[in-house]
Amino acid sequence: MTWDLTALFKDLNALDEFIQALKQDAINFKNQHENQLSSLNANEFLKAFSEFERLNEGISKVLTYAFLIFAKDTKNGSFYAKYDEICTKISQNLLFFELEFNQIDKNLQENFITNAPKYAYYLKNLQKQKSHQLKLDEEQILLRTANTGAQAFARLFDESMSAMKFKFMGEILSEEEILSKLHNPSRDERKMAAKSLSKGLKKHQHLLGYIYNMIKTDLATNCELRGFSSKEAPRHLDNQISQESVNALINACEKSFEISREYYEKKREILGYKRLFDYDRYAPLSKDGLKFEYQDAQKIVLDAFNAFNPEFGKIADEAFKNGWIDVYPSEGKRGGAFSHSGVSNAHPYVLLNYTNESRDLFTLAHELGHAIHQKLSYSVGFLNSDTPLTTAETASVFCEMLVFDYVIKDASNAQKQALLARKLEDIFATLFRQINFTTFERRVHSHEGEISLDELNKIWLEESRKMFGKSVKLKDYYAIWWSYIPHFIHTPFYCYAYSYAQLLVLALFGLYKSGKCENFAQLYTQFLSSGGSKSPKELVGLFGFDIDDERFWQIGLDEVRKILSEFKEIKC
């Protein structure tokens, strides 16, 4: 059960032929339009912009293919690097376009925007980038050297983590496999897994710390060059969300950490432990086999999606049948899970590391939610399909909720208790833990110069302890667990988007279950199909919510409290 990449290219010859044509088209585009935008009329600009979009989608197609080859086996780093470099050189021919748009007369800009309603929101966001753009020759230098900067260290991180092995009870396990052992019913095995993970990471602390420092330095340099007021400001601009809104989200979550503390106290009672330790956080409450073979998970997902909207089920079924998903762990395969949006003349691609645990069922639902969002957003064009992270995570978490709601309805009390525990732990991981990640990043990136391993470990423990209070004791070895989190390397300040999406989804799902919005499925499909062609505020406004109102976050937090109350009331 692996990817079928022929939807992108039949073979390497087809890839190279495509690249040659794309390269020439990009050169022709530059020769025709550089220093000429101000002389175009509105229709000519729209035609040029459409060609700009087509060329960018072509570059994305090549990069998608190369990246998936690498993700399947990270020993193919040289293959990925080769095509990444080729695409960088092609992109140099297009770099002038958006810079030049922001330099032409404002009245002409507005005329172009008015005549291109499909791309109006994209172009207005482009205008907001002007103050952070550099001169063309400076941007060309940064683009040309990008593959040897942060991107190179991100690749080194991926290759290092994929190659890492962990000793466990006579076996040699990958990162994904050792992490899955933290969900084992046996407390002794969970404890051994935690120690094995820590021991394995410890051997690579210097390398992982150095990589993180290079990412930190690269971000600081980029922010200085582009005139950003803070290290997180570029992310907020990309996410189309204000610093004030992010602060309000973080404050609301930190004030609600008592929810997780109350849950873990109850879990300790149920397990009969005197104290919970870090390796007990994901201890299953049910011993009656909450596992899902992949074939069973497929059926559950299809049933749950079809019950909500047959279009969701249709896309998921297509994914299962047509090689969209690479399912199981394998040697050299990248850890974790993702859905890559691909391109409109192919389809999204989903990576899993499926191990038959209950969490794998919900990971499948999560990534298929992304794939559905990506597939639906093809309708608004390549450039508009790119959604800000805050709404990109919404479909994934919503689909998790659909599957959870489907599974729990026929469960016994013991199974309901276990499933509700699993759901609360997932919510805490997506909501509160991501806030801890964000406050950790804030402290790390505010540190002047390189930061020592001791300081990184200290900050990580301090921030991680906030959501648990006295309900869970984090052992000293937990201090190095920051070092395997890929978002810190690939996308600094990404993590609050998960929290944002979790609370938004809880509010939306509560509205859906209430029955107060009769055409909810239709509105939600419209929401996803819009991709990034409208602002998050406008999209969420379809449901009558205002994301700029601080009280909005409380709607989602109140839904978490409801789930906690239901969990505590179950009698087994």
mmCIF file of all heavy atoms in Angstrom, residues 3-11 65 349:
data_model
loop_
_atom_site.group_PDB
_atom_site.id
_atom_site.type_symbol
_atom_site.label_atom_id
_atom_site.label_comp_id
_atom_site.label_asym_id
_atom_site.label_seq_id
_atom_site.Cartn_x
_atom_site.Cartn_y
_atom_site.Cartn_z
ATOM 1 N N TRP A 3 2.408 4.786 -2.565
ATOM 2 C CA TRP A 3 1.989 5.813 -3.519
ATOM 3 C C TRP A 3 2.115 5.332 -4.966
ATOM 4 O O TRP A 3 3.043 4.601 -5.319
ATOM 5 C CB TRP A 3 2.867 7.044 -3.373
ATOM 6 C CG TRP A 3 2.640 7.842 -2.141
ATOM 7 C CD1 TRP A 3 1.435 8.150 -1.570
ATOM 8 C CD2 TRP A 3 3.648 8.467 -1.339
ATOM 9 N NE1 TRP A 3 1.634 8.934 -0.464
ATOM 10 C CE2 TRP A 3 2.980 9.143 -0.291
ATOM 11 C CE3 TRP A 3 5.030 8.537 -1.403
ATOM 12 C CZ2 TRP A 3 3.665 9.866 0.676
ATOM 13 C CZ3 TRP A 3 5.708 9.250 -0.435
ATOM 14 C CH2 TRP A 3 5.029 9.906 0.593
ATOM 15 N N ASP A 4 1.215 5.824 -5.783
ATOM 16 C CA ASP A 4 1.347 5.712 -7.243
ATOM 17 C C ASP A 4 1.729 7.099 -7.747
ATOM 18 O O ASP A 4 0.883 7.993 -7.854
ATOM 19 C CB ASP A 4 0.039 5.239 -7.866
ATOM 20 C CG ASP A 4 0.114 5.172 -9.392
ATOM 21 O OD1 ASP A 4 1.230 5.359 -9.931
ATOM 22 O OD2 ASP A 4 -0.930 4.969 -10.024
ATOM 23 N N LEU A 5 2.998 7.279 -8.039
ATOM 24 C CA LEU A 5 3.502 8.593 -8.449
ATOM 25 C C LEU A 5 3.325 8.858 -9.937
ATOM 26 O O LEU A 5 3.676 9.939 -10.425
ATOM 27 C CB LEU A 5 4.977 8.745 -8.065
ATOM 28 C CG LEU A 5 5.290 8.671 -6.561
ATOM 29 C CD1 LEU A 5 6.774 8.915 -6.323
ATOM 30 C CD2 LEU A 5 4.460 9.680 -5.767
ATOM 31 N N THR A 6 2.767 7.884 -10.661
ATOM 32 C CA THR A 6 2.603 8.084 -12.108
ATOM 33 C C THR A 6 1.558 9.147 -12.426
ATOM 34 O O THR A 6 1.501 9.636 -13.561
ATOM 35 C CB THR A 6 2.227 6.769 -12.813
ATOM 36 O OG1 THR A 6 0.998 6.270 -12.273
ATOM 37 C CG2 THR A 6 3.323 5.726 -12.640
ATOM 38 N N ALA A 7 0.724 9.492 -11.454
ATOM 39 C CA ALA A 7 -0.210 10.600 -11.671
ATOM 40 C C ALA A 7 0.547 11.910 -11.866
ATOM 41 O O ALA A 7 0.042 12.850 -12.493
ATOM 42 C CB ALA A 7 -1.170 10.719 -10.486
ATOM 43 N N LEU A 8 1.760 11.972 -11.346
ATOM 44 C CA LEU A 8 2.620 13.140 -11.530
ATOM 45 C C LEU A 8 3.475 12.972 -12.789
ATOM 46 O O LEU A 8 3.399 13.772 -13.719
ATOM 47 C CB LEU A 8 3.504 13.336 -10.298
ATOM 48 C CG LEU A 8 2.774 13.740 -9.016
ATOM 49 C CD1 LEU A 8 3.690 13.553 -7.806
ATOM 50 C CD2 LEU A 8 2.282 15.180 -9.096
ATOM 51 N N PHE A 9 4.289 11.910 -12.815
ATOM 52 C CA PHE A 9 5.151 11.633 -13.966
ATOM 53 C C PHE A 9 5.256 10.116 -14.145
ATOM 54 O O PHE A 9 5.446 9.393 -13.167
ATOM 55 C CB PHE A 9 6.547 12.229 -13.771
ATOM 56 C CG PHE A 9 6.545 13.726 -13.644
ATOM 57 C CD1 PHE A 9 6.695 14.326 -12.410
ATOM 58 C CD2 PHE A 9 6.370 14.530 -14.764
ATOM 59 C CE1 PHE A 9 6.677 15.711 -12.285
ATOM 60 C CE2 PHE A 9 6.348 15.908 -14.651
ATOM 61 C CZ PHE A 9 6.496 16.501 -13.410
ATOM 62 N N LYS A 10 5.179 9.668 -15.390
ATOM 63 C CA LYS A 10 5.227 8.221 -15.662
ATOM 64 C C LYS A 10 6.594 7.640 -15.327
ATOM 65 O O LYS A 10 6.717 6.507 -14.869
ATOM 66 C CB LYS A 10 4.881 7.948 -17.121
ATOM 67 C CG LYS A 10 3.415 8.180 -17.451
ATOM 68 C CD LYS A 10 3.098 7.809 -18.895
ATOM 69 C CE LYS A 10 1.617 8.007 -19.194
ATOM 70 N NZ LYS A 10 1.264 7.644 -20.591
ATOM 71 N N ASP A 11 7.628 8.437 -15.579
ATOM 72 C CA ASP A 11 8.981 7.972 -15.289
ATOM 73 C C ASP A 11 9.919 9.177 -15.282
ATOM 74 O O ASP A 11 9.483 10.328 -15.491
ATOM 75 C CB ASP A 11 9.448 6.929 -16.313
ATOM 76 C CG ASP A 11 9.272 7.403 -17.763
ATOM 77 O OD1 ASP A 11 9.455 8.610 -18.020
ATOM 78 O OD2 ASP A 11 8.957 6.560 -18.629
ATOM 79 N N TYR A 65 6.994 15.699 -6.689
ATOM 80 C CA TYR A 65 7.527 14.390 -7.082
ATOM 81 C C TYR A 65 8.851 14.104 -6.368
ATOM 82 O O TYR A 65 9.032 13.025 -5.781
ATOM 83 C CB TYR A 65 7.713 14.350 -8.596
ATOM 84 C CG TYR A 65 8.125 13.000 -9.151
ATOM 85 C CD1 TYR A 65 7.170 12.035 -9.425
ATOM 86 C CD2 TYR A 65 9.468 12.714 -9.413
ATOM 87 C CE1 TYR A 65 7.540 10.795 -9.942
ATOM 88 C CE2 TYR A 65 9.845 11.486 -9.926
ATOM 89 C CZ TYR A 65 8.874 10.532 -10.188
ATOM 90 O OH TYR A 65 9.245 9.308 -10.702
ATOM 91 N N TYR A 349 -1.244 13.667 -1.855
ATOM 92 C CA TYR A 349 -0.563 12.446 -1.436
ATOM 93 C C TYR A 349 -0.456 12.431 0.093
ATOM 94 O O TYR A 349 -0.020 13.409 0.699
ATOM 95 C CB TYR A 349 0.834 12.359 -2.051
ATOM 96 C CG TYR A 349 0.820 11.951 -3.506
ATOM 97 C CD1 TYR A 349 0.691 12.904 -4.525
ATOM 98 C CD2 TYR A 349 0.923 10.607 -3.867
ATOM 99 C CE1 TYR A 349 0.676 12.519 -5.860
ATOM 100 C CE2 TYR A 349 0.913 10.220 -5.214
ATOM 101 C CZ TYR A 349 0.790 11.176 -6.195
ATOM 102 O OH TYR A 349 0.769 10.792 -7.517
#
